[in-house]
Amino acid sequence: MTVIVGLRYLAVSGGFALLTRARFPGLYAGLDPQIRREIGWSLASAFIYGAPAGLLAWGWQEHGWTRVYTNVSEYPLWWLPGSVLVYLLLHDAWFYWTHRWMHRPTPFRIAHAVHHASRPPTAWAAMSFHPWEALTGAVVIPALVLAIPIHVAALGVVLTVMTVMGVTNHMGWEMFPRRLVQGRAGDWLITASHHQRHHQQYGCNYGLYFRFWDRLCGTDRGLGTFRRADGAGTGPVRAADRAGVAG
């Protein structure tokens, strides 16, 4: 499972990094030493994520430890999308509060500073965590599969969303259209534009998938700005637009 998690990280982060370099060749200019650190920390995190996943995969197959099921008829069909939403909501709540706690002085200095050493973050930074922080992220999905039933395919959807959003929220440009990001959906869903503000100001925008915890707790500071696609610094531009039209 550690190998699977590591290869998944390399494939998804590498794919979006290649896409970034193809669309905006200068966006990661001068960041090669940082990217090497991000990859190193991320592969260490892959071991921490993979260990409990492997244990539970074995326990599921051999002893039925988890609530993961394979027969669609075991639960109503509406539970297939319902379970995905429940898992994402609970994961988002866990992430918000542990992430906010990580910004207290001591845990930030000990662990979370590793993630924020990515300035600006890149597609390789999604799993760039100190081992203590990786541990807080590695326990949540295993805990959920022990407690809440989910079809194996629905679990695959959850893991896919978790992986893709983790990468795209850090890659330094906005892949989603303006009408989504700045529309009603963007008021509640987190994309790179929202998470970018967190990496700029630190003390805000702690959520992972949804903005409502930030809104409820007064930590939502709106959308951030991106490094210019030509590598010329920072500014109020959307890297999703090659021409650098103001966002």
Side-chain angles (χ1 to χ4, degrees), residues 99-227:
H99 188 193
R100 188 168 175 177
W101 173 75
M102 282 281 179
H103 276 264
R104 296 180 65 87
T106 299
F108 186 91
R109 175 177 52 81
I110 293 174
H112 195 49
V114 166
H115 186 65
H116 277 281
S118 295
R119 301 189 185 97
T122 76
W124 296 103
M127 290 179 61
S128 181
F129 303 132
H130 185 280
W132 286 115
E133 180 171 3
L135 188 61
T136 68
V139 299
V140 58
I141 298 298
L144 290 176
V145 300
L146 288 172
I148 301 173
I150 188 168
H151 188 271
V152 64
L155 179 60
V157 171
V158 170
L159 295 175
T160 299
V161 172
M162 179 178 72
T163 302
V164 171
M165 296 308 295
V167 174
T168 59
N169 283 354
H170 290 90
M171 64 183 177
W173 55 282
E174 182 58 74
M175 66 176 289
F176 293 102
R178 185 191 303 267
R179 64 180 178 275
L180 184 152
V181 175
Q182 298 183 357
R184 291 187 177 181
D187 287 340
W188 298 103
L189 298 177
I190 290 174
T191 66
S193 297
H194 187 267
H195 194 66
Q196 183 75 5
R197 176 74 71 185
H198 174 75
H199 279 269
Q200 291 169 330
Q201 297 185 355
Y202 288 26
C204 64
N205 295 18
Y206 296 110
L208 178 60
Y209 306 121
F210 309 108
R211 294 176 65 172
F212 57 81
W213 280 111
D214 278 306
R215 290 182 177 275
L216 181 65
C217 298
T219 54
D220 195 300
R221 297 292 184 271
L223 306 182
T225 57
F226 294 101
R227 192 180 192 220

